[in-house]
Amino acid sequence: MDKIQLQKLRDLPIEGVAERLGLRVSRHKSLCPFHADSHPSLSYSTRKNMYHCFVCGAKGGTIDLVMRHLNVDFREACRWLADEHSIILDEWQPAEKTEEPKPFDASRYARYFEHPWLDEAARKFLFYERLIDPRVVWWCRLTSWQDRKGTPWLQIPYYNKEGQLVGVQNRNLVKGSLPRFRFPQGSECGIYNLPVLNLLKPGEPLFITEGCSDCWAMLSSGHKAIAIPSATLLKPKDMEQLSMLNNQCSISFHMYPDRDEPGERLFLQLKQVLPSLVHHQLPPDCKDFSDLYLKKTPL
């Protein structure tokens, strides 16, 4: 990991990292997880991007917070931050750097999605934890597999608007395990669920979500939706594609930004190419649309 990559992790919004760790941040404060705290005493400085508890003295930046909260070393904290925020580190790329990268071999993976199959871990994650509509799982062609160590993975295909397979994202289904995601070489995992554009009617709302999970929740709610990989992984190519879509089609764009700084920053970035993008506010007790969907969906 070089200095630039390390700085990217240190520059992640401290309050956003705290929220991803499960801490409830309100007015730049949260309950301190490092001592028996009944009144929020852990303060966050967005200017310095630091945290400080005035009771137990705990303080530091993003990496320090992850190390102490998850009880992991520096390296594991960096890996967790990178996975949680979709920052791809060079150390996870193929060891040989001198060769030209090989293009994505769609023919090698397409057969896995012709007859999708879900194991018990995938069914539990999709149907019982996320409450995703089975019709959405079928539409998205989600399937599962296990690696040699027996680790269950959810395999998520990415298609272009014409329905051609352009990339695959593998999601680790063991909670807290690293790496959280894996991508076959050459995968173009940019905007997710582009084939839904072929079903849009003029003026029909299209929701832009952050990540596949929110997209599945939005589709399960009965809305048409696409997904941006992450607030920290928005590529110029994705922006260009959205700009072209805005210019060529009569679409009403909508978004529920995540309730954190990266989510709001993503909305502002998208607003530059989608001036008509409508902002929908999440309730205070929901950090993303998946939370809202779970609260509104009867068990």
Side-chain angles (χ1 to χ4, degrees):
M1 186 189 314
D2 60 30
K3 292 181 179 180
I4 295 177
Q5 294 167 329
L6 192 59
Q7 193 59 47
K8 283 184 181 180
L9 301 182
R10 286 174 170 155
D11 288 341
L12 290 169
I14 188 69
E15 293 184 347
V17 172
E19 288 277 1
R20 299 263 176 154
L21 285 167
L23 303 176
R24 182 66 66 185
V25 180
S26 177
R27 297 181 181 179
H28 307 300
K29 287 188 175 183
S30 71
L31 292 173
C32 180
F34 309 126
H35 73 276
D37 196 9
S38 56
H39 299 285
S41 59
L42 193 66
S43 296
Y44 301 92
S45 169
T46 55
R47 182 176 63 85
K48 296 181 179 179
N49 211 37
M50 304 282 285
Y51 72 92
H52 183 205
C53 177
F54 293 94
V55 176
C56 71
K59 60 181 179 180
T62 56
I63 300 175
D64 303 300
L65 182 60
V66 174
M67 287 175 62
R68 185 158 185 173
H69 191 272
L70 299 182
N71 192 29
V72 296
D73 60 20
F74 181 86
R75 178 183 175 84
E76 286 301 309
C78 289
R79 289 172 67 90
W80 183 92
L81 278 169
D83 275 336
E84 282 292 305
H85 296 272
S86 297
I87 297 174
I88 309 302
L89 300 182
D90 285 347
E91 66 184 76
W92 299 343
Q93 301 303 313
E96 182 56 60
K97 304 282 184 184
T98 57
E99 296 180 359
E100 285 293 324
K102 296 180 181 179
F104 176 68
D105 185 1
S107 62
R108 178 181 176 184
Y109 297 95
R111 60 189 177 91
Y112 296 119
F113 308 108
E114 292 175 358
H115 303 286
W117 174 81
L118 300 175
D119 61 15
E120 184 179 349
R123 294 180 64 85
K124 178 183 177 183
F125 173 74
L126 292 168
F127 299 137
Y128 298 100
E129 295 179 9
R130 296 285 178 164
L131 303 182
I132 303 302
D133 190 315
R135 292 170 296 179
V136 171
V137 173
W138 177 86
W139 164 262
C140 294
R141 314 300 291 170
L142 303 179
T143 189
S144 59
W145 64 286
Q146 290 190 2
D147 61 23
R148 294 178 180 177
K149 296 180 180 179
T151 303
W153 294 82
L154 184 66
Q155 207 162 29
I156 306 166
Y158 279 67
Y159 298 96
N160 60 20
K161 187 180 176 182
E162 290 70 37
Q164 298 168 320
L165 184 66
V166 295
V168 175
Q169 176 185 7
N170 294 290
R171 175 171 181 152
N172 194 325
L173 292 178
V174 178
K175 209 166 191 178
S177 292
L178 297 173
R180 190 180 178 197
F181 299 107
R182 283 181 179 172
F183 301 86
Q185 191 172 37
S187 285
E188 294 183 18
C189 297
I191 300 177
Y192 177 68
N193 197 36
L194 285 174
V196 78
L197 300 177
N198 300 314
L199 304 179
L200 276 174
K201 300 174 183 177
E204 188 176 10
L206 176 67
F207 283 84
I208 300 177
T209 61
E210 184 182 334
C212 296
S213 295
D214 277 2
C215 187
W216 302 331
M218 188 65 73
L219 293 170
S220 297
S221 298
H223 301 290
K224 292 183 174 68
I226 57 176
I228 302 297
S230 166
T232 56
L233 203 65
L234 184 61
K235 303 173 183 177
K237 182 179 178 180
D238 300 333
M239 295 282 278
E240 182 180 351
Q241 194 168 14
L242 288 171
S243 180
M244 291 176 59
L245 187 62
N246 182 58
N247 295 331
Q248 296 174 1
C249 306
S250 176
I251 298 176
S252 171
F253 295 95
H254 298 258
M255 185 177 184
Y256 281 87
D258 287 4
R259 286 185 62 87
D260 55 25
E261 189 172 332
E264 291 296 332
R265 189 166 61 245
L266 174 62
F267 174 81
L268 294 177
Q269 283 182 277
L270 295 175
K271 189 79 173 175
Q272 296 175 15
V273 295
L274 303 172
S276 62
L277 181 61
V278 179
H279 185 293
H280 295 269
Q281 186 71 43
L282 288 167
D285 59 341
C286 297
K287 64 182 178 63
D288 55 28
F289 184 79
S290 290
D291 269 4
L292 179 62
Y293 171 70
L294 290 173
K295 291 180 186 298
K296 288 190 173 182
T297 303
L299 297 176

